[in-house]
Amino acid sequence: MESTRHPGGNYFWEQQYNELLSDAQAASSLLAHQMLGYITLPNQPADGDTVTFTINGTAITLTAKTALSGVAGQVLRGGSAAAFAGNLIALAENPQFTTSNGVALTTANQQLLSYLGFTLVGTTLYIYSLNSSIWSPLTSFTASVSTAGDSYSAQTMQLFVEPGNYWLNGTRVSFAGGATPTVTAPVSNPRIDVLTIDSSGTLAWTVGTENASPSVPAYPANKIPLIELYNVVGETALYDNFNQQAGQGYINKDIRPFIQYPLNPTALATNLVPDSAGGRDLGTSGTPWGNVYAQNLFQNGVGVAAAKFGGTGADGALSISSGTTTLNLSNAFLTTKNYTSISITGTGKLAFSNPNANGSIIILKSQGNVTLTSSSAPMIDASAMGAPGGASVTSSSSRTSGNPGTAGITIFNKTNPGNGGNVSGNAGGAVSTFTPAVFSAIQKYGPYLFVGAGAGSGDSVKNASNNPSGVGGYGGGCLVIECGGSWNFTTSGGISVAGQNGGNGSLGGGSTNADAAGGGGGGGGGFFLGLYAALTANTGTVTVSGGTGGTGTDGGVVGENGGGGGGSFATAGNNGQLTGNHGSGSTTKDGGDGATGISVVAQNTEFS
Amino acid sequence: MSENTNSTGITGIEVAPPIVLELKCSCGKVCGTLTWPASTQVDLEKAAAEHVTVCDDCQSKK
């Protein structure tokens, strides 16, 4: 390894060398640096064979010996080539100590050897300079070996990479250290190359493009980048960053990656894949993960309906602090909005428009908190979003019956009865409607989803004028709020699913005693369901009342029929009234009131 | 997101602002918002068409 630099001529106590060794080991993993050359020692030397380092012109000879006799520079030849190589680097790195494997060098030679660093990989000894820009005692170096088959090779256009361990794409690699491929000097302009190591422990250069102001080439995928090397035209050697030389290449950046704690690959640009199908778990039964956020989940290739309660958040965070924001239902049977949170405060109000012809079910999902503290009452107004009431009638001759209201939708659509035989027809029961596409979205709430039914309109009696009857009121809508966070509802009458009031009958111009017009019934109250995960406050109230029946009027001879009130779930609407003569031009309430709806606010303990 | 360098020379990550749709009355008053995280793909035109807003002042004049 390339150990800590220290001033020439200074020596450290033995225990300090241990400290330096530890520090250098920690920092040197996969460290790339300059080298002078390497000695290959594949053969065990004979007694008396030598390895010579010539440093600044001084030859330092290390002699292989079968037995040491106390002569400076002797190295035990050992029982193999590897044993000798180990004894050789031990003495080269610690020339001040005599051990059972080597004899200490002279003080002068110890200092010369301190200018060099060594790393042994197998039986190859890599040698490098410890010069820096502030301390450069080494001026020249060469080496030689006398053992047949062993040799020294000067090599300054390669770098040496220290040993290290790393993980790459699930593979643990223990890199023993080694030299890079040889670098080729650029021809016309400078160039930046990137050194990488792959999952096989192979070092490789990603060669950049020559340019007067060269750019760093893109780092190749699935490899660990180690350094950026700045090359210049005519270079014959590569140097460390802290020892740059004029006209020579040098290590520009050490780019060995480190990963932050905790691991947070926010810009992960590839798939996260286990090493075998079904062989790895995400968490355990005892230590599960907290929240998992994903757009889609699949189990054995089949999509899993997950995170339904509180919805997806796709419609953003809704915040209304003033005014009225009207959500267009577009005549849909079911409208679902997926908010991340809902906040209606100040004087804000959320209303709805364009309900379905049989009333609309509205589901507002919130992944987070639902805050309903606006002073507007109601701040969420789903009144009259149920089934339409019967249209007003205007008789053209004698008495014309009012129109019935429209049946409201429920999760279980009722089957329709056949009509009795009469002069107006004897039709069989109409086909029920069923909408499979929305059934799965609402069936989890059970059989309680319904909208208020529409009320009937009053009748009209014509003698001399056209007398429009009162229109039947719309039923109240069906509103469900899923609160995945904390529920905070504090306004009295803050939510309404009330039925609409019936219209009033009126006499036309020129009416006489026998003219009359009944009032419309009030629409049935609708349904509200609020489910929350946590509770802050629930002191607000929900208006579920049916609409009030309208008034009829007559000319003083005949009475009129008011429309019936719309029904609700488990509650019938009130009957319209057949009035007698109640005085010329007088009005009386004859439309039936709508039935009262239902409201439930509770903690969600069932839906996930 | 983009990489930037702060005054101390430390490279960091600049976080993009969230996507905000103002719930605005035709008179210009902003009465509320719909907000999404920066990286969300949002059909703002559709969301705006679905959420029509009238401010309290304009509502009282109707």
Side-chain angles (χ1 to χ4, degrees):
Chain A
M1 88 197 66
E2 188 167 31
S3 61
T4 304
R5 300 183 302 281
H6 54 81
N10 289 354
Y11 296 93
F12 292 84
W13 300 106
E14 183 179 1
Q15 61 269 32
Q16 289 178 290
Y17 271 96
N18 289 336
E19 294 172 5
L20 295 173
L21 185 67
S22 297
D23 288 346
Q25 281 180 327
S28 68
S29 180
L30 298 180
L31 174 71
H33 59 75
Q34 163 273 343
M35 72 179 202
L36 299 167
Y38 52 89
I39 298 174
T40 54
L41 302 164
N43 305 294
Q44 184 184 17
D47 186 77
D49 283 357
T50 60
V51 175
T52 302
F53 300 129
T54 302
I55 303 172
N56 294 354
T58 298
I60 302 172
T61 299
L62 305 180
T63 306
K65 297 297 293 181
T66 302
L68 304 181
S69 61
V71 178
Q74 286 183 333
V75 179
L76 195 66
R77 61 186 288 267
S80 65
F84 172 72
N87 293 338
L88 179 66
I89 190 174
L91 183 60
E93 289 188 329
N94 304 281
Q96 68 272 41
F97 296 113
T98 294
T99 69
S100 59
N101 296 322
V103 180
L105 301 177
T106 65
T107 300
N109 286 347
Q110 291 173 25
Q111 179 169 343
L112 288 171
L113 276 174
S114 73
Y115 304 159
L116 300 175
F118 304 91
T119 297
L120 183 65
V121 180
T123 56
T124 300
L125 184 66
Y126 292 91
I127 305 164
Y128 37 89
S129 166
L130 297 181
N131 279 356
S132 73
S133 58
I134 59 172
W135 175 246
S136 305
L138 181 68
T139 57
S140 66
F141 174 79
T142 189
S144 61
V145 189
S146 67
T147 303
D150 293 356
S151 63
Y152 169 73
S153 300
Q155 180 52 268
T156 57
M157 289 299 284
Q158 295 178 356
L159 298 176
F160 181 75
V161 178
E162 295 287 349
N165 290 283
Y166 57 95
W167 291 86
L168 185 57
N169 286 348
T171 299
R172 178 181 177 274
V173 183
S174 184
F175 180 66
T180 68
T182 302
V183 173
T184 301
V187 177
S188 303
N189 282 299
R191 187 191 72 223
I192 298 175
D193 300 341
V194 171
L195 177 64
T196 59
I197 192 165
D198 65 14
S199 58
S200 300
T202 301
L203 296 165
W205 291 106
T206 298
V207 179
T209 302
E210 293 186 21
N211 191 285
S213 298
S215 299
V216 179
Y219 294 177
N222 300 316
K223 295 183 178 183
I224 294 178
L226 299 178
I227 63 156
E228 292 175 6
L229 180 70
Y230 195 92
N231 299 285
V232 296
V233 176
E235 67 187 12
T236 57
L238 309 174
Y239 284 83
D240 294 318
N241 186 277
F242 53 77
N243 188 30
Q244 297 175 32
Q245 303 295 313
Q248 300 294 349
Y250 62 92
I251 295 172
N252 190 35
K253 285 184 179 177
D254 181 346
I255 53 173
R256 291 173 294 170
F258 286 84
I259 299 175
Q260 71 183 74
Y261 177 82
L263 177 63
N264 183 20
T266 53
L268 195 62
T270 186
N271 296 331
L272 195 60
V273 181
D275 60 346
S276 63
R280 304 294 177 190
D281 297 333
L282 193 61
T284 68
S285 59
T287 53
W289 288 93
N291 300 313
V292 176
Y293 299 92
Q295 291 186 335
N296 300 294
L297 292 176
F298 294 87
Q299 183 178 38
N300 295 325
V302 179
V304 175
K308 289 294 186 184
F309 187 79
T312 65
D315 292 306
L318 175 65
S319 176
I320 305 171
S321 58
S322 66
T324 300
T325 293
T326 300
L327 188 60
N328 187 352
L329 303 180
S330 302
N331 307 121
F333 177 95
L334 172 66
T335 298
T336 302
K337 303 304 291 182
N338 290 275
Y339 298 115
T340 54
S341 63
I342 297 173
S343 174
I344 304 177
T345 59
T347 59
K349 177 177 180 177
L350 179 64
F352 307 93
S353 65
N354 301 318
N356 180 264
N358 287 96
S360 287
I361 295 174
I362 305 158
I363 300 177
L364 303 180
K365 297 186 178 185
S366 171
Q367 292 180 321
N369 296 343
V370 173
T371 303
L372 305 176
T373 59
S374 170
S375 60
S376 294
M379 78 183 79
I380 300 181
D381 188 0
S383 64
M385 290 296 112
S392 170
V393 296
T394 301
S395 178
S396 58
S397 62
S398 66
R399 184 180 296 272
T400 299
S401 298
N403 289 310
T406 304
I409 51 175
T410 73
I411 188 169
F412 296 120
N413 288 279
K414 65 180 182 182
T415 53
N416 296 308
N419 293 318
N422 61 42
V423 294
S424 60
N426 53 0
V431 65
S432 293
T433 56
F434 180 67
T435 313
V438 300
F439 183 80
S440 62
I442 61 177
Q443 58 86 23
K444 73 176 183 179
Y445 303 113
Y448 303 109
L449 284 191
F450 64 93
V451 300
S457 61
D459 69 357
S460 174
V461 182
K462 179 175 182 178
N463 182 40
S465 67
N466 294 325
N467 308 307
S469 67
V471 65
Y474 271 67
C478 176
L479 175 64
V480 177
I481 299 179
E482 288 187 5
C483 170
S486 188
W487 174 261
N488 184 11
F489 176 40
T490 59
T491 305
S492 178
I495 297 173
S496 178
V497 289
Q500 187 183 37
N501 294 337
N504 298 325
S506 61
L507 299 181
S511 64
T512 63
N513 292 347
D515 286 314
F527 177 66
F528 174 72
L529 173 62
L531 293 174
Y532 56 81
L535 181 64
T536 297
N538 187 40
T539 56
T541 59
V542 180
T543 303
V544 296
S545 57
T548 301
T551 60
T553 184
D554 70 31
V557 174
V558 297
E560 73 279 1
N561 287 294
S568 184
F569 188 82
T571 306
N574 292 293
N575 295 334
Q577 300 298 312
L578 171 59
T579 69
N581 169 26
H582 49 85
S584 177
S586 68
T587 60
T588 186
K589 178 176 178 298
D590 53 20
D593 293 340
T596 300
I598 296 175
S599 170
V600 177
V601 179
Q603 185 172 30
N604 169 46
T605 58
E606 302 300 321
F607 306 138
S608 59
Chain B
M1 291 187 290
S2 61
E3 187 177 83
N4 71 351
T5 301
N6 67 16
S7 58
T8 61
I10 298 172
T11 298
I13 296 298
E14 178 182 302
V15 179
I19 300 166
V20 178
L21 173 66
E22 293 182 336
L23 300 177
K24 187 186 296 185
C25 180
S26 58
C27 72
K29 178 176 173 59
V30 177
C31 298
T33 55
L34 279 167
T35 309
W36 294 265
S39 58
T40 310
Q41 288 190 337
V42 184
D43 187 342
L44 290 177
E45 194 171 335
K46 178 173 179 286
E50 287 177 342
H51 298 79
V52 178
T53 297
V54 179
C55 75
D56 294 333
D57 288 343
C58 291
Q59 188 73 35
S60 66
K61 293 173 184 172
K62 282 188 174 182

